[in-house]
Amino acid sequence: LHIAGDIDYVINMACPASPVDFDRVPLEIMRTCAVGSQMLLELARAHMAVYLQASTSEVYGDPEIHPQREDYCGNVNIAGPRAVYDEGKRYAETLCHTYHRHHGTPVRIVRIFNTYGPRMRPDDGRVVSNFCMQALTGEPLTLYGGGEQTRSFCYCEDLIDGIFRLLHSDFTGPCNIGNPAEITVRELAETILELTGSGSEPVIVPALHADDPKRRRPDITRARELLGWEPKVSLREGLKPTLEWFRFVFNDTATTE
């Protein structure tokens, strides 16, 4: 990979990250994390550019410690269907550390927790987009595995602010960026139903994957101390513009049909 001219930053955000993609394009996900990341690290190395790797809370797998700190090595089932993404991102992180040690490449690693906001794909299989579209179309809200698993949802603008601060820091280790406000998936469904006034009802369906994490919440001590960052947008506040986006998508789809 060769690009002429000066390059100051290489930001690698590439990789399908939805559970539906783990079954749809598993090998492509692994190649993106492995081959794609190495090509971009070579580009950064050639230009002595700062390289930022978008990693994920999925590197913690189904965690045995709570909340998750960056020094926790995780609990990933390497034979499970989620491993194509989980292990792919872990490998990409190892590449970053290796390039930093052996070539002096300045690297930044952001571990992104569940993020939501306008312009999400309506069919990407993630819980926020699923619930928003189901509520707006009057379909049952699908609680995979019962809905008692927890997640921590960070609004996209908060995430971008955290990534920007990390990019312009001098910290080479991984850094959690996410909202530590933890709720159950069932509580998320109830909040979206309340905000939309939908007559939909939650319904329990079998879990898509056996390795679905039971709890997920970031320890953001590192982000607070090193970057002066913490999220500002509450879930209810962030869901309002998110729902406006999905209403636009729904109305546009209904019009074209």
Side-chain angles (χ1 to χ4, degrees):
L1 179 63
H2 174 72
I3 296 177
D6 295 333
I7 296 176
D8 297 318
Y9 304 98
V10 176
I11 302 175
N12 182 10
M13 306 293 289
C15 193
S18 168
V20 297
D21 296 323
F22 303 161
D23 294 325
R24 184 177 62 88
V25 286
L27 295 176
E28 290 84 350
I29 287 173
M30 297 185 75
R31 283 197 295 269
T32 298
C33 292
V35 180
S37 296
Q38 185 163 11
M39 291 178 67
L40 290 176
L41 277 161
E42 282 292 334
L43 177 66
R45 176 190 174 194
H47 290 265
M48 289 305 295
V50 175
Y51 176 87
L52 183 138
Q53 173 67 42
S55 189
T56 171
S57 61
E58 294 292 334
V59 300
Y60 300 120
D62 188 7
E64 296 175 327
I65 70 163
H66 194 77
Q68 291 78 58
R69 303 187 307 269
E70 290 90 346
D71 59 0
Y72 175 52
C73 292
N75 178 38
V76 174
N77 175 11
I78 62 173
R82 301 178 72 96
V84 297
Y85 184 68
D86 302 1
E87 289 296 297
K89 289 294 188 178
R90 287 160 68 94
Y91 178 81
E93 286 197 21
T94 300
L95 275 176
C96 290
H97 292 299
T98 305
Y99 268 75
H100 178 66
R101 283 195 305 270
H102 288 269
H103 301 303
T105 307
V107 299
R108 312 286 183 263
I109 301 170
V110 53
R111 288 184 179 164
I112 300 171
F113 280 67
N114 292 75
T115 304
Y116 69 99
R119 307 199 72 82
M120 295 179 74
R121 286 163 39 202
D123 60 348
D124 75 355
R126 302 190 203 195
V127 66
V128 172
S129 50
N130 278 356
F131 286 173
C132 288
M133 289 302 294
Q134 288 166 345
L136 293 173
T137 57
E139 298 176 5
L141 273 64
T142 49
L143 302 179
Y144 289 104
E148 297 309 312
Q149 63 271 45
T150 69
R151 295 292 183 268
S152 303
F153 297 97
C154 186
Y155 189 60
C156 55
E157 290 183 1
D158 282 334
L159 173 72
I160 292 167
D161 179 44
I163 291 175
F164 183 83
R165 292 176 187 229
L166 179 62
L167 179 67
H168 292 280
S169 75
D170 59 0
F171 184 65
T172 60
C175 185
N176 290 338
I177 297 293
N179 194 322
E182 179 184 10
I183 66 169
T184 67
V185 171
R186 181 181 291 275
E187 288 171 328
L188 172 66
E190 292 168 351
T191 301
I192 290 175
L193 288 174
E194 179 188 340
L195 290 174
T196 58
S198 173
S200 299
E201 294 285 343
V203 59
I204 295 176
V205 297
L208 278 178
H209 298 131
D211 301 322
D212 189 37
K214 298 176 186 67
R215 302 190 71 185
R216 181 64 56 79
R217 177 162 67 94
D219 182 320
I220 62 168
T221 301
R222 185 172 286 181
R224 284 190 175 115
E225 294 179 351
L226 297 178
L227 310 179
W229 178 89
E230 61 182 347
K232 299 176 181 178
V233 181
S234 70
L235 178 63
R236 295 179 70 88
E237 184 181 351
L239 280 174
K240 293 175 183 178
T242 305
L243 281 164
E244 289 179 9
W245 161 252
F246 282 111
R247 285 192 183 95
F248 169 78
V249 171
F250 171 65
N251 291 332
D252 185 61
T253 302
T255 301
T256 56
E257 290 178 352

